[in-house]
Amino acid sequence: MSAKTTRRDMMKTISLGVGATLLSPILDQLAAHAAGDERRAIRKRVIFVMQSNGMSPNHLLPSGLKPAPNGRWTNDTLEEVSLKDRTLHKAIEAFAPFQERIALVQGLSGRIALSDHSTNHGALGCYPASKGPMAQTIDSAVSDALPGTFPHVAIGYGGSTDVMNYSYSASGPGKSIPIICSPDLAFKSIFGSVAEGAGRKAFDRRTNLLDFMADDVKRSRATLVGEEKQKFDRYLEAFESLGNRQRELLAKADDLKKNAPKLGDKLTTSTSSLILEAQFEIATATLLAGVTNVVTLISGGGGQRFGSYPEFGIPDLHGVGHGAAYGRTSSEDCHVELRQFHTKLIAGLVKKLASVKEGDGTMLDQSLIVYLSDSGEGHHPNLREWPVVLIGNLGGKLKTNGRYLRLPQYGAKNHRTMANLYCTLLHAVGKPRDKFGIADPALKDIDQTGPLAELLA
Amino acid sequence: MTGIFLNSFAMVAGTALVLPLSAAADEARQKKAAAFVQAHCVKCHGPAKQAGDVRLDNLSTDFAKDRERWLAVRDQIRDGLMPPAKEPRPSADEAKAIVLGVTSSAGIEPGRLPNQGNLIPHELLFGKSAAPAELPYARVWRLNPEGYMGFVRDVFRGRADGIVQPFTVIPERGIKDFAGLYSIDEPTTDILIRNAETIVAAQTAHTIKDGKMSGKNDTVGEFVKLMDPFVPPTRQQLEAAIQLQFRLAIGRPANANQVTRLLNLYEKCAKVDDTPNAVKTMLQAVLLCTDAMYRSELGLGNADRNGGRRLDPLELARAVSLALGDRREASIMQAAQKGELNTKEQVAEHVRRMLNDPKIEKPRLLKFFREYFEYHKATDVFKDRPADKIRHIPSVLVGDTDRLVQSILADDKDVFRQLLTTPMAFVNTTTKTNKQTRMQELVPVDIVPKQDPKRPPEWLGGVDAVYGFKAWPNRQPVELPKETRLGILMQPSWLVAFSTNFDNDPVRRGRWVRERLLGGTVPDLPIGVVAQVPDDPHRTFRDRLTVTRATSCWKCHQHMDELGLPFENFDHYGRFRTSETVRDAAATEKNVDKKGKSLGPVNREAELVISGRIDDSGDATLDGIVKDPREMVRKLADSDRVRQVFIRHVFRYFLGRNESLSDARTLQAADKAYLESGGSFNALLVSLLTSDSFLLRADAANSQTQPFTGKETK
């Protein structure tokens, strides 16, 4: 898509002749947009990017700031500096072109999710790492507020050959959201129905099949009782929602065709970095096509599935976590190289969003990228601090205008946690909550509720 | 991939099973428990103080009325977390009596996850007063990943390129495939539909030459006939195609209702597209139906004289097939169709036949031992090149242990003891077909290449050296050097699987022994604890691990560390050792050139302590100090309890669920069958796969009133 094309132009070309009964929230949104109701049409977007093996707090320090003495901050009040005229750490220098639109946040804790390595669902859920999907995670909660044809696109590289990962995201207790770790499958499930050019006949046959299967599963379900029924519930939901979705996707065929990425061999690659490149391209295209407003991108699969990058000469990230340097001066060089690779991918996504006009600005104006690690600040985290990079301000809802923030240290009176950050996001997307996940019992004397006033505009 | 129901607070599995007790006995237990709480808990959880916002002085003495809180109290006592160390401790017997008393009276639910099986105290399953058998309820069990590929092979004999594995299993250690864990979610369904399209395209692939249609290799002739766009299929042809696809996919015929509905689907599709495409859609639907993707164990067979209903013969034949392998086994399916699978003895005959026939693939057997011991995880642990230049190839180590397990199973005598204590091993082995005899023979995998005399040797030893051999032993399995290693737990593969990148992992080794051999439980890592052993190259690992002796850590580590430390007899590559290499601080400091520049670290050999201690095992004959790992495994192999815990794990794997109190008789019968057969694993399996727990389901009519205690997921 050229930068000159606006989403408004594109939307006007879409036929809505499929009938009013098919109008979903997203079609409604398109209709509003085409009709000129800009304010109603513009949706916010949130993209979560989670990279394994910890995010070194030092990578967030801009020029002029020194690492914490003995690895631990001791400030009891908020410390803040502007990023203006400062240079970002080389690990995240890819963010420099838009550093006036980011907030580097240090000092949030997340010890409720403490684990020896990955915090798994705890990273986005603010609850213990080892209990599985105890409750809804923040990406899913945000998607409730920002519905789309795909309520939530979760893709990435899972650090193994499994094509699906169930370790990070959940829509509710006991309900892990699958994260698609094969670019081929991700592409097919989002763009497949139109990009493959199957045509109207195939569409109708598939509709018949999905309807038949939904009916068939319902009949089987009726023979079971209690919890056994639930095993068929998701299968039933799957056929029903695939049916509804393919109607919506057909209505957006032109948009999907225009944006479908050309991935070639990357679709089926087994090289970690190429998988990630492909998944970032798919995520970007999905956002540009307007079929989702919430994306989770993972790199690493929870537990000790950190991933492996033999193509970079870094065969084992666990080794890096324990000091292996793989021919570099130190393991830190490996950490920096991998962060540079990931931040370049994020920067590419940001650049794309900034290139598409939307309303009076660009898509980036309405977007937010939340970049963090599933194991907080290190390979073996202690989670007294959990570094986070925020890019974008969600249509002015967040104060992310080139700031470095160091929140009060763990245990200080005004100390804040990841749950406070997630409450902030929910306030910003219009579904305010003042509690998220499970409170840290070691901070029982501190108010752990509410959003971060420091970030909320 | 499949949706995974992980354990969560909103999903409580199963039914509360309450042991029938006399009112007097119940009252006595309740009084005893109340007195215990008064003595040990109320000081901190009473009217004056409510530590952690928990108050217990107001607990009802009636367990049933205050069940949740009583179970929470029990779990704290069972795991040794309460009373805290600074307070007077109850005796082990006193604590155990409370745990058993509360469990017996307040009821217990089997945990949902495989690793929660031990939450049911061993004594309640193998004690004298076993609970009466209550039958399990009707269930369905999603195919496991290998079962799905078996399904694909059943429906299409040839190569079906492009099939994607849709299913996955939980990442947790141990047994993976439980019936209660998996559903099928939307992205998985998307893959299943694509796979069904691929399979049907392969089943119906054809060419048209001179106006004549012919199928390609391995296509299904009956389906190809229906691919002529100019000749619409007859109803009879369509019905035959439906029946054939049902037999291929599910192993049974479709009923009249299913045929009618599939014909309707065909009709609908034929209205919008040509008839070959309509046929294909109809055939795809069969591959997606719940009966194809799930093992159905509804209990639709005859009523049993012991109450409940049997699995119907076809359900049973599929259940037995998939218990042992990845595909339906032809003979047992035929027997079911002929009505020759109606008695327990008929089922036993087929299980024996399948176990004894080497031509029948039974991959699930070896898989059990992999998931139980977890030695196959050795390939997941990345290690640097060893400093001693002895080759580390974990996949070879895993292959060796696979062969050892298979040879013990082939012998089928005293299997569990052999697994723990055999002095034999396969060393650096793979198989190769001898071109002359056409027989498979063992050959070495890894051979250290000849050294270039002009260069320093790249390797000083191959995989053979890991086991203590200088050359590849021609006769395998071979007896290992005396007093070095015994059994699976001292196989290099197991030791590597329970190691980290740079060190041994005695904590996880000890946890394995506690859970898989002693049937104990270890609480999860508490909130706020950073589980890290300090990196200090100057100290032995045992010395560094003393960090866990702090009171707050030891509460949990007392269940693990001493059981894992005897394996310090081996390094983290799995080599036998008699000392441990550590950094010599003084010598390193002196190791400088004339200008004072360091010439690198200098190491020294530190004394190795390989003793350990078994505590609180539940078997008095086991408790006490062990001088080395060999003494420990010999002691464990002699224990009835340890053998029974192994049998509990076999039950879990092959029945796809945790044992409940109602399964006590099944477990005891299995143990008896194992002992009476001289330790035959086959006899154990025959016993389990012909038990009421496997064959019967609660009567469907009663199932409608099944008293579910769990809340439904949202």
Side-chain angles (χ1 to χ4, degrees):
Chain A
M1 183 190 297
S2 80
K4 288 179 185 170
T5 316
T6 68
R7 284 176 51 74
R8 182 180 166 80
D9 294 336
M10 293 190 319
M11 297 313 140
K12 281 178 176 170
T13 66
I14 293 176
S15 163
L16 294 173
V18 287
T21 53
L22 297 184
L23 282 182
S24 69
I26 190 74
L27 286 180
D28 195 24
Q29 179 194 343
L30 297 177
H33 199 156
D37 185 353
E38 296 283 350
R39 203 166 53 84
R40 187 177 158 206
I42 293 174
R43 293 272 189 190
K44 295 180 175 56
R45 299 171 200 88
V46 182
I47 302 109
F48 295 86
V49 181
M50 199 149 63
Q51 183 188 340
S52 71
N53 222 11
M55 182 184 283
S56 167
N58 295 343
H59 292 179
L60 263 60
L61 293 175
S63 58
L65 297 186
K66 288 181 178 166
N70 304 318
R72 189 176 292 188
W73 305 112
T74 53
N75 55 307
D76 285 335
T77 54
L78 172 71
E79 292 182 3
E80 179 176 354
V81 298
S82 167
L83 296 179
K84 201 178 174 195
D85 302 327
R86 289 180 189 265
T87 309
L88 298 182
H89 188 285
K90 65 179 178 181
I92 62 166
E93 64 194 3
F95 297 157
F98 41 88
Q99 74 183 56
E100 78 287 358
R101 305 183 77 161
I102 69 178
L104 307 171
V105 185
Q106 291 200 278
L108 294 170
S109 73
R111 285 175 67 78
I112 189 71
L114 196 65
S115 165
D116 50 353
H117 296 94
S118 172
T119 59
N120 304 317
H121 289 95
L124 298 176
C126 297
Y127 47 73
S130 57
K131 306 282 186 194
M134 290 180 73
Q136 188 178 33
T137 50
I138 184 63
D139 49 348
S140 173
V142 166
S143 77
D144 285 348
L146 306 175
T149 304
F150 291 94
H152 178 197
V153 167
I155 59 179
Y157 160 59
S160 74
T161 55
D162 285 348
V163 295
M164 221 70 89
N165 175 283
Y166 288 89
S167 295
Y168 291 128
S169 196
S171 57
K175 295 181 91 172
S176 275
I177 291 174
I179 301 173
I180 305 175
C181 298
S182 148
D184 190 36
L185 288 174
F187 178 85
K188 281 177 177 162
S189 69
I190 297 165
F191 296 93
S193 57
V194 291
E196 286 165 0
R200 181 79 202 188
K201 287 178 180 174
F203 170 82
D204 287 342
R205 266 192 297 112
R206 192 172 155 104
T207 302
N208 287 335
L209 176 67
L210 294 169
D211 290 347
F212 173 88
M213 289 312 307
D215 178 56
D216 194 62
V217 179
K218 263 186 214 162
R219 287 165 189 269
S220 302
R221 188 180 177 278
T223 64
L224 298 171
V225 293
E227 288 194 353
E228 289 298 305
K229 262 191 199 306
Q230 294 174 29
K231 290 183 188 168
F232 287 166
D233 282 350
R234 284 186 107 175
Y235 203 31
L236 174 60
E237 284 165 20
F239 286 116
E240 288 176 341
S241 93
L242 282 169
N244 293 335
R245 182 158 305 138
Q246 80 154 0
R247 292 180 181 97
E248 289 186 11
L249 290 174
L250 188 74
K252 304 198 71 178
D254 289 348
D255 244 7
L256 285 162
K257 275 182 192 163
K258 267 184 209 164
N259 286 294
K262 309 267 182 301
L263 294 169
D265 291 345
K266 278 190 202 170
L267 275 176
T268 51
T269 182
S270 57
T271 305
S272 316
S273 54
L274 296 180
I275 291 173
L276 279 165
E277 285 178 16
Q279 299 286 43
F280 268 80
E281 284 191 56
I282 290 169
T284 307
T286 307
L287 289 162
L288 295 189
V291 291
T292 194
N293 298 309
V294 181
V295 173
T296 301
L297 275 156
I298 62 161
S299 170
Q304 297 190 30
R305 288 167 293 175
F306 306 103
S308 170
Y309 297 84
E311 66 272 29
F312 298 155
I314 305 177
D316 178 51
L317 269 60
H318 201 153
V320 173
H322 284 265
Y326 299 117
R328 281 88 168 161
T329 309
S330 75
S331 62
E332 171 62 5
D333 292 344
C334 298
H335 282 299
V336 168
E337 276 180 47
L338 288 172
R339 188 150 323 283
Q340 285 174 332
F341 170 71
H342 285 82
T343 51
K344 275 180 193 162
L345 292 177
I346 295 169
L349 168 63
V350 171
K351 203 174 153 195
K352 274 274 187 189
L353 293 175
S355 73
V356 180
K357 286 186 182 174
E358 186 176 50
D360 298 330
T362 70
M363 284 180 77
L364 180 61
D365 295 340
Q366 303 301 323
S367 304
L368 169 72
I369 290 155
V370 182
Y371 175 40
L372 73 167
S373 173
D374 57 311
S375 59
E377 89 293 1
H379 175 78
H380 288 301
N382 69 45
L383 303 185
R384 280 190 166 78
E385 89 149 309
W386 201 318
V388 179
V389 179
L390 302 174
I391 306 169
N393 67 14
L394 269 179
K397 294 285 183 185
L398 297 172
K399 293 185 282 189
T400 51
N401 49 326
R403 306 167 75 199
Y404 167 86
L405 295 95
R406 188 181 302 155
L407 291 148
Q409 66 165 322
Y410 187 76
K413 189 182 164 199
N414 293 317
H415 174 71
R416 311 299 269 157
T417 70
M418 292 297 280
N420 297 119
L421 172 67
Y422 294 160
C423 289
T424 312
L425 301 187
L426 292 171
H427 276 257
V429 296
K431 282 237 173 171
R433 269 160 72 174
D434 289 334
K435 283 185 179 176
F436 194 83
I438 297 176
D440 181 345
L443 296 175
K444 62 183 170 140
D445 298 330
I446 292 171
D447 180 9
Q448 298 178 55
T449 62
L452 295 167
E454 299 86 346
L455 275 174
L456 205 55
Chain B
M1 213 108 332
T2 297
I4 298 178
F5 292 137
L6 285 179
N7 189 37
S8 74
F9 51 68
M11 297 192 64
V12 182
T15 307
L17 299 166
V18 181
L19 286 179
L21 294 163
S22 72
D26 221 11
E27 200 181 326
R29 283 167 199 258
Q30 290 172 356
K31 273 188 180 167
K32 207 171 178 182
F36 182 96
V37 168
Q38 194 62 40
H40 292 286
C41 312
V42 169
K43 182 180 159 197
C44 301
H45 302 286
K49 183 182 172 190
Q50 293 94 42
D53 293 330
V54 175
R55 183 169 175 174
L56 297 173
D57 62 306
N58 53 3
L59 262 179
S60 167
T61 50
D62 184 346
F63 289 147
K65 281 187 186 159
D66 224 339
R67 191 164 170 275
E68 292 305 316
R69 283 204 295 165
W70 272 114
L71 292 178
V73 168
R74 176 203 63 186
D75 291 351
Q76 292 287 315
I77 298 168
R78 179 195 62 217
D79 295 338
L81 300 175
M82 286 282 160
K86 61 183 180 186
E87 298 294 334
R89 309 284 297 170
S91 71
D93 286 346
E94 199 182 351
K96 185 177 278 179
I98 296 302
V99 172
L100 292 179
V102 176
T103 303
S104 302
S105 298
I108 190 162
E109 294 149 351
R112 174 172 290 272
L113 290 171
N115 287 329
Q116 296 168 331
N118 289 351
L119 291 175
I120 296 194
H122 192 78
E123 294 76 4
L124 294 181
L125 294 168
F126 283 89
K128 282 179 187 164
S129 58
E134 284 187 28
L135 295 174
Y137 292 98
R139 69 175 186 183
V140 290
W141 186 352
R142 192 216 66 188
L143 296 180
N144 60 35
E146 297 78 19
Y148 180 79
M149 294 319 283
F151 158 81
V152 172
R153 293 206 304 277
D154 279 337
V155 292
F156 183 65
R157 292 186 297 269
R159 271 181 60 189
D161 291 335
I163 294 292
V164 172
Q165 174 56 257
F167 297 148
T168 190
V169 289
I170 50 171
E172 277 78 0
R173 67 213 153 70
I175 297 169
K176 309 283 188 193
D177 187 20
F178 264 22
L181 288 178
Y182 305 107
S183 64
I184 303 179
D185 56 32
E186 188 186 315
T188 308
T189 305
D190 209 14
I191 299 173
L192 289 175
I193 293 172
R194 288 176 193 284
N195 284 350
E197 287 167 355
T198 304
I199 293 167
V200 171
Q203 287 177 319
T204 56
H206 59 276
T207 52
I208 300 175
K209 200 175 178 185
D210 302 330
K212 212 177 165 186
M213 195 166 52
S214 55
K216 291 185 174 176
N217 285 346
D218 299 316
T219 50
V220 182
E222 287 83 345
F223 299 165
V224 173
K225 280 181 206 161
L226 313 181
M227 291 297 109
D228 189 333
F230 304 108
V231 184
T234 65
R235 183 185 171 99
Q236 202 178 7
Q237 283 178 314
L238 288 169
E239 285 187 13
I242 291 169
Q243 291 297 359
L244 179 55
Q245 190 75 318
F246 253 79
R247 281 202 298 280
L248 291 170
I250 307 165
R252 66 168 174 79
N255 62 35
N257 183 281
Q258 286 164 327
V259 172
T260 306
R261 289 193 305 110
L262 282 161
L263 289 174
N264 285 343
L265 172 64
Y266 165 81
E267 292 292 343
K268 270 186 166 178
C269 292
K271 278 184 193 157
V272 296
D273 205 343
D274 60 23
T275 57
N277 276 324
V279 169
K280 286 182 186 172
T281 305
M282 178 188 82
L283 294 173
Q284 288 160 14
V286 179
L287 303 183
L288 294 167
C289 70
T290 52
D291 277 355
M293 294 297 96
Y294 287 84
R295 271 162 74 168
S296 164
E297 297 180 4
L298 301 179
L300 300 176
N302 297 330
D304 189 82
R305 63 197 157 110
N306 294 328
R309 302 192 83 86
R310 289 173 160 271
L311 298 186
D312 88 28
L314 283 167
E315 284 182 327
L316 182 53
R318 197 174 180 205
V320 171
S321 299
L322 294 183
L324 302 177
D326 299 333
R327 303 174 69 173
R328 295 189 307 271
E329 198 272 321
S331 295
I332 196 169
M333 294 300 293
Q334 280 169 11
Q337 278 160 352
K338 287 183 195 163
E340 294 169 359
L341 204 62
N342 292 324
T343 66
K344 220 174 229 196
E345 191 41 47
Q346 285 174 326
V347 179
E349 263 177 46
H350 278 280
V351 175
R352 277 189 215 106
R353 174 186 58 78
M354 289 165 72
L355 288 170
N356 291 329
D357 184 348
K359 286 183 190 153
I360 296 175
E361 290 181 3
K362 297 171 282 286
R364 293 250 310 149
L365 293 192
L366 181 63
K367 199 154 183 272
F368 163 72
F369 290 96
R370 282 182 159 212
E371 291 187 1
Y372 175 69
F373 284 108
E374 299 183 68
Y375 59 85
H376 64 301
K377 295 279 184 189
T379 52
D380 295 348
V381 185
F382 184 85
K383 293 188 185 291
D384 274 334
R385 282 163 69 109
D388 61 4
K389 295 189 175 182
I390 290 176
R391 289 267 277 250
H392 172 65
I393 311 179
S395 58
V396 177
L397 304 176
V398 172
D400 286 341
T401 309
D402 279 345
R403 268 184 203 92
L404 183 61
V405 170
Q406 283 166 324
S407 88
I408 291 170
L409 286 181
D411 201 30
D412 205 25
K413 285 178 194 143
D414 216 1
V415 166
F416 183 57
R417 183 188 301 278
Q418 288 296 314
L419 289 167
L420 286 189
T421 62
T422 179
M424 310 298 284
F426 285 84
V427 173
N428 187 21
T429 51
T430 187
T431 53
K432 192 179 169 187
T433 307
N434 183 318
K435 283 181 184 167
Q436 289 174 334
T437 63
R438 298 202 171 177
M439 299 284 281
Q440 292 274 310
E441 57 185 38
L442 282 178
V443 291
V445 189
D446 168 51
I447 301 168
V448 175
K450 274 194 172 175
Q451 307 293 339
D452 179 348
K454 293 176 188 166
R455 292 183 179 180
E458 188 182 4
W459 295 108
L460 296 175
V463 174
D464 322 305
V466 177
Y467 293 85
F469 291 94
K470 286 183 180 159
W472 191 71
N474 284 315
R475 290 177 68 88
Q476 304 237 17
V478 61
E479 186 162 352
L480 291 161
K482 287 265 181 262
E483 287 305 296
T484 55
R485 308 168 190 269
L486 295 176
I488 306 295
L489 306 191
M490 282 170 248
Q491 284 272 296
S493 63
W494 192 88
L495 294 162
V496 171
F498 290 85
S499 73
T500 62
N501 300 93
F502 307 107
D503 280 312
N504 281 336
D505 194 343
V507 178
R508 278 172 58 239
R509 289 173 183 175
R511 181 173 188 155
W512 188 92
V513 173
R514 173 67 61 187
E515 292 180 340
R516 305 282 166 85
L517 295 181
L518 298 176
T521 58
V522 180
D524 287 334
L525 193 66
I527 292 165
V529 172
V530 184
Q532 257 180 285
V533 179
D535 283 331
D536 182 352
H538 302 95
R539 299 161 65 194
T540 64
F541 199 88
R542 177 184 279 265
D543 186 29
R544 285 188 275 149
L545 194 63
T546 49
V547 69
T548 65
R549 305 280 162 150
T551 312
S552 57
C553 305
W554 193 239
K555 275 195 291 192
C556 297
H557 280 270
Q558 63 179 332
H559 301 302
M560 304 182 278
D561 295 10
E562 287 287 338
L563 296 170
L565 282 167
F567 299 106
E568 287 302 287
N569 210 172
F570 306 88
D571 70 12
H572 72 101
Y573 292 99
R575 290 89 176 263
F576 181 79
R577 65 181 178 182
T578 52
S579 61
E580 183 170 346
T581 307
V582 296
R583 185 73 42 83
D584 186 328
T588 300
E589 199 180 324
K590 287 177 192 163
N591 189 30
V592 293
D593 64 13
K594 287 176 186 170
K595 292 178 183 171
K597 192 181 166 190
S598 171
L599 293 171
V602 178
N603 293 332
R604 69 181 173 85
E605 291 303 303
E607 186 192 357
L608 193 65
V609 181
I610 52 170
S611 62
R613 187 179 176 88
I614 304 175
D615 271 329
D616 194 24
S617 67
D619 177 349
T621 64
L622 285 176
D623 289 353
I625 289 171
V626 289
K627 69 178 166 61
D628 59 35
R630 292 161 293 281
E631 182 181 309
M632 184 166 83
V633 296
R634 283 189 182 112
K635 267 181 104 168
L636 291 165
D638 282 339
S639 161
D640 288 344
R641 181 189 173 96
V642 172
R643 182 191 66 247
Q644 289 160 354
V645 170
F646 169 73
I647 284 167
R648 290 176 69 175
H649 284 87
V650 179
F651 176 99
R652 287 171 205 169
Y653 178 87
F654 287 96
L655 276 80
R657 63 180 173 88
N658 281 323
E659 62 277 26
S660 72
L661 296 180
S662 300
D663 297 307
R665 288 182 187 173
T666 295
L667 289 164
Q668 293 184 14
D671 188 36
K672 191 167 170 232
Y674 177 79
L675 284 175
E676 289 177 352
S677 62
S680 159
F681 190 73
N682 285 358
L684 168 60
L685 281 184
V686 171
S687 174
L688 285 174
L689 299 184
T690 57
S691 66
D692 287 353
S693 300
F694 188 82
L695 298 175
L696 302 181
R697 293 291 174 273
D699 194 284
N702 296 334
S703 295
Q704 297 299 332
T705 56
Q706 185 183 347
F708 283 98
T709 56
K711 296 168 193 165
E712 297 219 339
T713 45
K714 287 175 190 172

